[in-house]
Amino acid sequence: MNTDNRDKREAKRILFSREDNITAFVHFPKKPKKPVPVFILNISEFGLNLLIESHRLKNIKTGDVMVLKSIQTPEPLKTIDIVEVEVRFILGDKTLEYTTVGCKFSNISEYYRENIKKFVNYMLNDIGSQIYKKSFFIKCFPPVYHLF
């Protein structure tokens, strides 16, 4: 058994809560309906986690491809227009109001990938961490009333 608790992810990521209002719209290519609004819970240069209303996830499964549009992030990254993502995991139950969906960028330009990497590093450095240090602590150890 490995007792090493260090993060084993490929890349650093920045965490957000629903209250941070980091949003996007997702389009399901197999279901040509209106784009669905989502909250972004975290982002790295390789992917992100989304918070989606559970009732909007009918027949969505691991491996499906979605298109994210108008990803709204804070300065200095701002807006990313259109990115394809592959669903890697789905956490939640259809009976819950929201479900977490883990996604990997499947078709992202090197320009956007590099900008996301710079944004994450900026947020984790002194300037950005001063802004998010308190909210990061709250996200990692939220009081019960602070959860979604």
Side-chain angles (χ1 to χ4, degrees):
M1 183 165 120
N2 186 357
T3 58
D4 187 357
N5 290 328
R6 287 181 290 169
D7 194 352
K8 306 259 191 289
R9 296 178 190 261
E10 285 183 73
K12 298 174 196 170
R13 62 188 55 236
I14 194 75
L15 305 175
F16 303 107
S17 72
R18 190 172 138 197
E19 288 78 20
D20 289 327
N21 203 34
I22 309 302
T23 61
F25 289 93
V26 68
H27 171 72
F28 303 103
K30 294 180 183 177
K31 299 179 175 189
K33 291 185 179 181
K34 287 174 50 176
V36 174
V38 298
F39 292 100
I40 297 173
L41 296 178
N42 68 50
I43 190 168
S44 79
E45 65 185 283
F46 297 114
L48 41 69
N49 281 0
L50 306 173
L51 189 66
I52 304 175
E53 290 177 307
S54 296
H55 73 276
R56 297 182 184 266
L57 288 174
K58 294 178 181 155
N59 302 318
I60 301 301
K61 60 189 179 313
T62 301
D64 283 353
V65 174
M66 304 183 297
V67 178
L68 286 175
K69 298 180 179 184
S70 302
I71 301 172
Q72 302 296 316
T73 63
E75 300 279 346
L77 187 57
K78 298 184 183 175
T79 301
I80 298 176
D81 294 327
I82 298 175
V83 177
E84 272 188 14
V85 296
E86 176 188 339
V87 175
R88 301 295 288 204
F89 64 85
I90 301 171
L91 293 176
D93 185 302
K94 303 282 188 201
T95 62
L96 298 174
E97 185 178 0
Y98 287 93
T99 298
T100 301
V101 178
C103 301
K104 178 181 178 182
F105 295 126
S106 59
N107 187 10
I108 185 171
S109 72
E110 194 57 37
Y111 171 80
Y112 280 144
R113 186 182 308 280
E114 193 59 34
N115 279 349
I116 292 170
K117 183 178 179 178
K118 287 177 185 175
F119 169 70
V120 170
N121 286 329
Y122 169 83
M123 295 308 291
L124 294 175
N125 286 334
D126 289 338
I127 297 170
S129 67
Q130 297 305 318
I131 299 167
Y132 282 94
K133 204 170 271 183
K134 181 178 177 188
S135 64
F136 176 79
F137 181 81
I138 291 171
K139 287 173 214 162
C140 290
F141 308 100
V144 175
Y145 64 85
H146 188 66
L147 295 173
F148 309 110

